Amino acid sequence: MNHKYQITIAWSLEDECYLAYLPEFANEVMQPVTHGETYQEALQLGLEVMEELILHLQAEGKPLPVAKLVLA
């Protein structure tokens, strides 16, 4: 899927791993949504969680969150 949602990846000193956040889905699921040993792993897992959240919301007949646009 090609959805226009944000994924924020941040290093956690406490957890010693990268944490993935899905800001637009904050009302649907606890943040951070996943983590990874590398930036790439956290990003990939974040994308997988996003996909599952989208499919779940669609199956429940709930609206998808509005994508927050960032203007550069």
Side-chain angles (χ1 to χ4, degrees), residues 13-35:
L13 287 173
E14 182 180 338
D15 299 314
E16 296 185 354
C17 65
Y18 289 93
L19 303 178
Y21 298 85
L22 302 175
E24 285 96 344
F25 293 87
N27 292 333
E28 301 297 328
V29 67
M30 199 169 88
Q31 302 289 328
V33 296
T34 191
H35 67 280

Side-chain angles (χ1 to χ4, degrees), residues 19-68:
L19 303 178
Y21 298 85
L22 302 175
E24 285 96 344
F25 293 87
N27 292 333
E28 301 297 328
V29 67
M30 199 169 88
Q31 302 289 328
V33 296
T34 191
H35 67 280
E37 301 256 339
T38 66
Y39 189 95
Q40 291 78 10
E41 182 182 23
L43 176 59
Q44 182 60 43
L45 293 171
L47 289 168
E48 291 174 13
V49 171
M50 181 188 299
E51 179 76 20
E52 290 299 319
L53 286 168
I54 290 168
L55 292 173
H56 173 74
L57 290 172
Q58 289 173 333
E60 296 285 318
K62 295 181 179 178
L64 295 178
V66 175
K68 296 175 184 164

